[in-house]
Structures are given as C-alpha cells and as structure tokens.
Amino acid sequence: MRSFTGVAAIPNNVPVDVGPARLGVRWVDVGPPVRAELVVMAHRADESPHHEVTLGETFPVGAETWRFTDLDMASADEWEVTVRRVDDVDEVPHPPTGHLAQPARLRPYGQLDGAQLDRVETLLGVRLPPDYRDWLRRSNGALPEVGHQVPGVPFTLTAERPLFGVHPQHPAFDLVHAQRVHRDPWLSRDRLVIARPSGGLLLVSAAGPDVDMVYFLHELDMIGPPGPPAEAVRVGKLQPLAWSTQELISRLVPLE
C-alpha cells in the first residue's frame, strides 16, 4: 500500500496517518546533532518499530523510505517533526527551516558529597526530595548566563537571582538561608524555596504525594499573616511547573 501523502508534520504526542502506517515521535533532541525517535505503527502488523534518526537520515515505512527533514521546536513541550517520502525519482532537497529551542544556559557551581547534603538536611530540618537532592549533588545550584523563563510563566531567573545551592559564605545564594527569608514567612516546611526569581518563588515539594514537584508562587500571592489559614490560601495559589527539577531545567528558555 502506497502512502497517500509525501510529507507529514507530526506534532508532539499526536500520531499522523500516512496510509500504510501511523507515524509518531517519542522524543526529540536539539543536539547537536538534531535527533528524533520515530515510531512506525503499521495498520496490518503487530509490531511498531522505533527508529532513532539524525536530521537528514532515512527510515523505512513499510516498503517505502522516508526522511527526517525538519524540526520546529517552540519549547520542550511544543514541537513538530516533518518527514518526507523519498521517491525513486531524484529527490528535491528541502533544507531545514524550523526553529530549534535553545537549551538552558546554566553554569553549575560544583558538586556536593553525601556528608554535605546530610548536613544541609540537618540544618533544614527536612529531608531533601530525592530528585532535587541528586540534582543538588551534581550541581550545587546553578548560575544563569542570561535571563531564563518558562514560556508563559511570569518569572525570570538571572545571574543575580540564580538557583540556590549550598553557599553559607554568600547568604543571598544559599539554600538554607533562603528558607528563613523566603519560605518561612509564607509556607511550611513541606516546601523548599529553590530560587527567588523576579516575579515570585520557585519551590519544590519536600513531602506528600507530590514530592519533587516544582511550583511557582507569584509575588502577588505572597501576602497575608503567617499561620495555617492564610498558608492554605497561598498553597492553593501554587502553579505546577514540572514533575522534577530536571524537567524544570528542560523547560527553561534563555532570553536573548
């Protein structure tokens, strides 16, 4: 069966039917090189082969050959892959024109060992969430080279407002100091402030079913007296950003 189209644009999480099969994309990587994992879901077969291809490479779709020709990536959560059928006749070149989202440009401060992390937990009086602890171990916070945002969320990380680490000699960048200054007036120990960007707070959940989830609290919602009643209102204003610190990093977009 021959495909009924010679070109297909595949959005993230939405398979596209081309005739002999539906084509989907599991993930994309801006690289370099630009890569993607294509899934070929044939209508009359039990198997759905996966093909990891670099931009410009080909992969089989039944008896046909298709090429990964473009990636248009607005963000880590919004992108579109273009593929084209390669005919027996001479193929007309189609140079990539898509926009590739730039990865976050963050400079880690260094690394921490287990003893240092244990001491931080003692000072905080709470265990660090597992994913956040691992990220902190590998980076000890991070300094943005330029301003960074999550598209559509009103905050900006800057060199003056980085992701906190263990820096007791520099209280403005220190995780433990940040809880006393930025968290304790507003929220309980169930949250950890991991950055104070312009516009509000970035927090990671330290307990409960949403442990390791990252939230944003707008500065306009940092109001009211201390204590459970007002805190419950503020918790209700938390905006979910990512399931983990690593996902947050992948969603950050440098501002040029």
Side-chain angles (χ1 to χ4, degrees):
M1 178 180 179
R2 182 173 172 81
S3 57
F4 56 73
T5 180
V7 59
I10 311 169
N12 52 306
N13 302 319
V14 182
V16 172
D17 198 335
V18 297
R22 291 186 303 146
L23 304 181
V25 183
R26 288 194 64 194
W27 51 260
V28 295
D29 182 1
V30 298
V34 177
R35 299 181 303 135
E37 183 175 346
L38 279 298
V39 185
V40 180
M41 295 165 278
H43 293 302
R44 298 180 181 179
D46 296 329
E47 297 183 351
S48 298
H50 294 215
H51 305 282
E52 185 176 321
V53 290
T54 300
L55 186 66
E57 289 184 340
T58 60
F59 61 98
V61 178
E64 299 176 343
T65 300
W66 285 65
R67 189 183 305 278
F68 172 27
T69 59
D70 210 349
L71 169 62
D72 191 349
M73 191 171 187
S75 71
D77 301 318
E78 185 179 355
W79 42 263
E80 186 176 78
V81 163
T82 301
V83 294
R84 292 180 181 273
R85 187 181 63 225
V86 179
D87 293 315
D88 296 334
V89 298
D90 292 338
E91 184 184 5
V92 178
H94 295 275
T97 59
H99 168 73
L100 302 183
Q102 296 298 312
R105 292 163 52 188
L106 304 174
R107 287 187 293 174
Y109 287 107
Q111 295 183 340
L112 300 170
D113 59 31
Q116 289 173 303
L117 291 168
D118 290 344
R119 174 167 172 75
V120 169
E121 290 182 331
T122 299
L123 294 172
L124 290 172
V126 65
R127 292 188 63 84
L128 295 167
D131 179 80
Y132 178 67
R133 179 184 169 110
D134 184 62
W135 178 82
L136 195 64
R137 175 186 62 80
R138 291 182 286 106
S139 64
N140 193 20
L143 178 74
E145 295 182 2
V146 295
H148 282 68
Q149 290 182 335
V150 171
V153 186
F155 75 84
T156 304
L157 285 170
T158 65
E160 295 76 23
R161 295 172 177 264
L163 289 160
F164 296 133
V166 181
H167 310 291
Q169 69 279 21
H170 299 295
F173 301 157
D174 183 57
L175 181 67
V176 174
H177 180 79
Q179 308 317 306
R180 295 194 295 267
V181 175
H182 303 303
R183 179 197 63 188
D184 294 349
W186 312 114
L187 297 166
S188 71
R189 291 186 177 185
D190 289 346
R191 317 283 172 180
L192 286 175
V193 173
I194 61 173
R196 176 60 168 102
S198 63
L201 299 176
L202 293 183
L203 307 108
V204 63
S205 182
D210 61 342
V211 65
D212 262 322
M213 193 159 184
V214 181
Y215 294 89
F216 171 66
L217 179 64
H218 198 288
E219 61 187 2
L220 296 180
D221 296 318
M222 296 161 59
I223 57 175
E231 180 188 341
V233 174
R234 289 188 286 267
V235 169
K237 299 289 187 178
L238 293 177
Q239 178 179 345
L241 284 187
W243 289 106
S244 66
T245 310
Q246 276 303 127
E247 186 185 354
L248 170 69
I249 302 297
S250 73
R251 296 193 64 197
L252 288 172
V253 175
L255 303 177
E256 297 291 359

